[in-house]
Amino acid sequence: MDLPTLWFILIAVLWIGYLVLEGFDFGVGMLMRPLAKDNTDRRLAINTIGPVWDGNEVWLLTAGGATFAAFPHWYATLFSGFYLPLLLILLALILRGVSFEYRHKVDSDRWRNGWDWCIAIGSWVPAILWGVAFANIVRGVEIDADMQYVGGFWALLNPFALLGGVVTLGLFLTHGAVFLALKTSGEYQERAMALAQRLALPSAAVAAVWVIWAQLAYSRNAWTWAPLVVAALALVGVVLATRARREGWAFTLNAVAIAMAVVFIFGAIFPNVMPATDPANSLTIDNASSSDYTLTIMTWVAVVLVPVVLLYQGWSFKVFSRRLHRDQIPPQPSELVNH
């Protein structure tokens, strides 16, 4: 295996890590208000991801950095062509991160309610736009001979891409609901699991339509049927596991489905990294990659540092693995006065 192919695979792995881990963060943020009866429920939801959400976002930074170093032409075309959607995602992530930190700074219902809406917006926007972006990459975009995107913003909002946004939205909503059921106990867990049951089937159905469309119309490799079959079986398993109230299995299988979706996306475009509507202008792992010297240095750095990062993140999840209950959330001063 040559180094450009190796780094194409490693970047796919980084995206798997990001979307699987940040996927339940987005889901929790989107469901925090609908599932809550009061401020204590909302604080309970935030506490389930409080110790890990910022660590989960490191996978995005690493994926972006690896793309910049390993495939600079891909990075340049992607970030210039998808500038507005990526800017919206970045602003949403900033808004969400600030909201987590600021909502408890003032003991006021109006203050908390405003930041809770910011958390919701900061979760809904990237949950949809990541799907739109990846669907456009699978479909192919207008790139000229100078590796410049020339399609414009509105060309990105085609039916195939918008359906891709609905797919990621459904997968992340289900992921978040199952995660909340996995991390909480009592009445809140019951509500989360009931919602996961309602979300699992339509999420799987929409995903099935999109992946079959993508495979038949845009995939450049026949072997990508394999991850689609695995993803389909995993999503069926999610439906069955939520009905059997096996939240651990449901979460694992939904994570497998998200991972297989990323495998399909990267497999469908290979050996391109960014397909063009005119195949002659497509960016490939060869014409978009850095030098072998750069990729060699990156490989040695990855060999040393990636295991450390994985061990640390695994340890952090283990430390904060206990279920949470409403009774563990101390009341705020205004709630004591009102009570």
Side-chain angles (χ1 to χ4, degrees):
M1 181 186 300
D2 59 15
L3 288 175
T5 302
L6 174 63
W7 273 97
F8 181 78
I9 294 172
L10 291 177
I11 290 170
V13 171
L14 291 172
W15 277 107
I16 289 173
Y18 173 68
L19 295 176
V20 167
L21 296 176
E22 191 77 333
F24 66 74
D25 289 346
F26 292 147
V28 170
M30 290 186 285
L31 296 174
M32 184 184 70
R33 291 182 62 85
L35 275 175
K37 290 185 175 181
D38 53 24
N39 180 51
T40 301
D41 279 350
R42 291 192 289 273
R43 291 171 63 199
L44 177 65
I46 291 173
N47 284 359
T48 63
I49 61 173
V52 298
W53 71 266
D54 48 355
N56 293 343
E57 289 192 349
V58 172
W59 288 83
L60 175 61
L61 298 177
T62 308
T67 303
F68 172 76
F71 299 98
H73 295 297
W74 182 15
Y75 182 93
T77 303
L78 177 65
F79 277 76
S80 60
F82 289 22
Y83 180 81
L84 184 55
L86 293 176
L87 177 62
L88 291 175
I89 290 173
L90 177 61
L91 292 176
L93 294 177
I94 293 172
L95 180 66
R96 190 178 64 123
V98 169
S99 302
F100 285 140
E101 302 297 332
Y102 272 72
R103 78 175 301 276
H104 67 280
K105 298 296 185 181
V106 177
D107 189 15
S108 161
D109 288 339
R110 183 175 181 180
W111 173 272
R112 287 189 292 266
N113 188 58
W115 288 115
D116 288 346
W117 276 110
C118 290
I119 292 173
I121 294 169
S123 300
W124 280 87
V125 169
I128 296 171
L129 290 184
W130 280 130
V132 172
F134 277 111
N136 273 296
I137 292 174
V138 171
R139 178 177 177 267
V141 293
E142 296 181 49
I143 301 174
D144 64 17
D146 295 322
M147 298 184 177
Q148 296 292 321
Y149 173 72
V150 293
F153 172 72
W154 297 109
L156 300 175
L157 302 181
N158 54 80
F160 180 75
L162 293 175
L163 184 59
V166 177
V167 170
T168 51
L169 176 65
L171 289 175
F172 293 160
L173 281 169
T174 305
H175 211 37
V178 174
F179 180 78
L180 287 170
L182 184 65
K183 287 289 294 178
T184 60
S185 58
E187 182 188 355
Y188 190 91
Q189 181 198 26
E190 296 293 325
R191 295 202 302 272
M193 201 64 208
L195 181 58
Q197 292 175 11
R198 295 196 295 271
L199 289 170
L201 185 57
S203 172
V206 174
V209 173
W210 185 83
V211 295
I212 292 174
W213 185 358
Q215 175 66 23
L216 295 178
Y218 302 115
S219 179
R220 292 146 185 88
N221 297 288
W223 67 264
T224 48
W225 280 110
L228 294 189
V229 171
V230 175
L233 293 175
L235 289 175
V236 171
V238 173
V239 174
L240 297 177
T242 53
R243 293 183 178 180
R245 309 192 64 79
R246 301 293 297 273
E247 60 269 18
W249 275 106
F251 181 79
T252 301
L253 291 169
N254 204 71
V256 169
I258 294 172
M260 289 299 102
V262 177
V263 172
F264 166 75
I265 289 168
F266 277 74
I269 67 175
F270 184 81
N272 299 322
V273 294
M274 196 162 182
T277 50
D278 180 356
N281 295 333
S282 293
L283 278 65
T284 70
I285 61 172
D286 294 320
N287 66 21
S289 67
S290 295
S291 66
D292 283 348
Y293 181 73
T294 300
L295 296 177
T296 300
I297 294 175
M298 291 175 61
T299 302
W300 281 111
V301 172
V303 168
V304 174
L305 294 183
V306 169
V308 176
V309 173
L310 292 176
L311 286 172
Y312 173 77
Q313 191 152 31
W315 173 80
S316 66
F317 273 95
K318 180 176 176 57
V319 169
F320 297 104
S321 60
R322 290 193 307 168
R323 291 180 183 268
L324 300 177
H325 191 275
R326 276 179 58 97
D327 296 341
Q328 297 172 302
I329 308 298
Q332 295 183 311
S334 61
E335 293 171 333
L336 288 173
V337 172
N338 292 335
H339 181 73

